[in-house]
Structure formats: C-alpha cells, structure tokens
Amino acid sequence: MIKRKFAVVTLTALAVFGLVLSACGGNSDSGSKATNELEQIKAAGVIKVGTMGTYPPYTFLNEQKEVDGFDPDIAKEIAKRLGVKAEFTTQDFSGLIPSLQAKKFDIVISQVTITDERKAQIDFTDSYITNNVKIIVNTKNTDITKLEDFKGKTIGVGLGTNDETYLRTEVLPKVGNFEIKTYDDVITSLKDLDAGRIDATINNLYALKPIVDENGFQIKAVGEAIKSDMAGVALRKDNVELRDAMNKALADMKADGTYDTLFQKWFDETPAK
C-alpha cells in the first residue's frame, strides 16, 4: 500500500514537472520568440528607423524639419513593401548601433558600412549602395595628395565611423604618426577644414556636394579613391525573417526601377552596374 502511494505521488510530481518544462519552453523551439520581430512590426504597422540626420544627401532634416534624403527614401520604400510606415529617430552616428542593440528602434539606415567587426555585433541586409572614399583638403593645400602625406598632419573623421576605424587600424600603422580628430557630424569637420583647423578629411564625393554648395566651403578632393565602402541596413542579430523580407524589398526595388529613380533623384546620375 505504501509503495502504491509512493508511485502515485511520483507520477503526479513528474506530470507537474513536465507541465513546468512545457510552460518554460522545454521543446526544441524554446529559444524562439512567441512572435518574431517582422510579425511584431507588421502588427504595429510601423518600422522604427534610426538615422544620423546630419549627412546630406544621405540623411538630413529638410526645411520642414522632416527626416529626408536617400537613406530615408530607401527606408520608406522598404517599409511600404512590408506593408507598414517608417518612423524615424535621429541621433549621432556613434550611438546608432548601441541604440539599435538597446531596441530603441528596429533598424538603422544611415550609411552604416558593412564590416566584419560590425557583423560580430549586428546583422546587415545586402548592400544598397557603394561609395568611393577620397582625400579631401582645403583648395589652398598642395601638400596632401595621398595617404602617405598624412604624416605629421591633423586629419578629421566622423566619430565611430568605418572611416575612423580605417584611419586607426590601416593608415596610421603604415603612414606613421598623425593626429586624428573626430567629429559627430560632417558639416563641422568641413567647417574646420575650410578654416584650416585640420589638414584633411576622408569622405565620399556624394556626401560633399550639397554641403559645399550650401556653405561655399573652399575644399577639394585629391588623388584616386582610397577605398570603396558598401552600406547596408543594420538590424539586430537573429532576425532572419526581417532581414530576408528587407532583402526581397531591396531586390524588387532594383528589379522594377524604383532604386534607380531614387538614386537619380539624390545623386543626379544612375547607379553603376
């Protein structure tokens, strides 16, 4: 009799234990979210987008103080193809990836260059643009035409950007000592270059033209392109459904001509094939 009671208690305990395991997700899908982020975005009707907002023509605030530019247009088109609206948050570039990881927004589209270092922290869509980076100097400067001329000079660069990493990890060890001054936005770095407070910066030509035209900066690009960067839409890791849906949207945009139209709108030329 005692043995039978013990067996009943044991079976009951096992059943309860099994229910607890089930409630805790003890099956093979225990690590998966109840609803993936793509489904959450579609249910909310909004995809939250982080962007710099100070980097025309890629991303900036227009006269109506609305987020505008090539990157926001790409984001809006992706959102439309997902069946939602894009909602933008602007902040300094150096804080965009930490804010993405903190879930302040769903994606970042702000000329985030695809690098192995960043891929260790976040995921990317396929590239949506390739930019050629050149050395930029004051029009009066005749001392700098190549990277080797940086030695002993002060070079400005965006804080937290791929260009900063490139200068510190690739150029500095090869060229020798030079000072790197970092900036939270491109306009300030070009103001300092125009005023002679730095000797050079590196950037791509698409980013420079509207700023130079508006401010009358006396600067110029010199030499050949020092590197080419591919930018992608950044998102948190393990969001396979969201990444795949955005990749499909980008591919469809390129296939139906929408991408070419947006590129022509902002850069006055068709993208290189």
Side-chain angles (χ1 to χ4, degrees):
M1 186 70 178
I2 294 174
K3 288 183 179 179
R4 185 176 177 183
K5 284 183 178 180
F6 180 79
V8 170
V9 171
T10 302
L11 288 171
T12 302
L14 286 172
V16 171
F17 182 66
L19 288 172
V20 170
L21 281 178
S22 177
C24 293
N27 57 37
S28 60
D29 294 325
S30 60
S32 65
K33 302 173 185 177
T35 306
N36 68 51
E37 290 201 23
L38 176 61
E39 291 173 346
Q40 292 172 0
I41 288 166
K42 287 185 174 182
V46 172
I47 185 166
K48 296 180 180 179
V49 184
T51 192
M52 191 174 178
T54 55
Y55 195 32
Y58 296 104
T59 168
F60 63 97
L61 299 183
N62 61 26
E63 292 179 356
Q64 290 73 42
K65 303 302 179 184
E66 299 167 333
V67 176
D68 206 350
F70 177 72
D71 284 3
D73 274 3
I74 293 290
K76 290 173 188 175
E77 188 62 32
I78 288 173
K80 184 172 76 172
R81 291 168 191 254
L82 295 182
V84 299
K85 292 184 178 180
E87 178 182 285
F88 295 96
T89 299
T90 61
Q91 66 176 80
D92 293 340
F93 185 89
S94 58
L96 285 173
I97 291 176
S99 292
L100 173 67
Q101 293 172 318
K103 298 187 177 181
K104 291 184 179 179
F105 25 76
D106 303 307
I107 62 173
V108 172
I109 180 160
S110 192
Q111 292 303 296
V112 185
T113 300
I114 301 169
T115 66
D116 290 338
E117 182 182 11
R118 285 179 177 150
K119 286 196 290 186
Q121 306 174 59
I122 57 176
D123 280 348
F124 286 94
T125 63
D126 296 334
S127 168
Y128 65 89
I129 191 169
T130 299
N131 297 304
N132 290 322
V133 177
K134 299 192 76 172
I135 298 169
I136 313 299
V137 298
N138 191 290
T139 52
K140 297 177 182 178
N141 188 303
T142 58
D143 298 331
I144 298 175
T145 58
K146 56 188 182 300
L147 290 173
E148 288 74 14
D149 297 329
F150 283 3
K151 189 172 183 179
K153 303 294 195 303
T154 300
I155 311 302
V157 71
L159 177 65
T161 63
N162 180 60
D163 289 343
E164 181 190 3
T165 302
Y166 172 71
L167 287 180
R168 294 190 187 281
T169 62
E170 296 188 42
V171 181
L172 197 58
K174 294 178 182 177
V175 169
N177 190 44
F178 59 86
E179 182 183 350
I180 296 174
K181 185 175 181 178
T182 57
Y183 294 86
D184 286 328
D185 60 77
V186 178
I187 295 174
T188 306
S189 67
L190 295 183
K191 284 181 179 177
D192 277 5
L193 182 61
D194 183 65
R197 289 186 285 267
I198 59 175
D199 297 297
T201 185
I202 61 174
N203 214 313
N204 73 76
L205 299 180
Y206 291 145
L208 296 183
K209 189 178 185 304
I211 301 175
V212 173
D213 290 347
E214 182 177 349
N215 295 275
F217 293 141
Q218 299 300 301
I219 61 177
K220 62 183 179 180
V222 295
E224 299 297 323
I226 56 176
K227 66 188 179 89
S228 294
D229 292 333
M230 292 188 296
V233 182
L235 66 158
R236 287 183 291 277
K237 279 192 168 294
D238 302 321
N239 277 322
V240 178
E241 296 89 354
L242 179 58
R243 184 199 63 204
D244 289 350
M246 289 194 294
N247 275 337
K248 183 179 187 305
L250 287 169
D252 289 347
M253 287 164 57
K254 291 179 179 179
D256 65 22
T258 303
Y259 179 85
D260 286 4
T261 299
L262 294 179
F263 199 96
Q264 181 76 40
K265 171 184 174 181
W266 291 106
F267 306 119
D268 293 323
E269 62 184 52
T270 55
K273 301 299 183 183

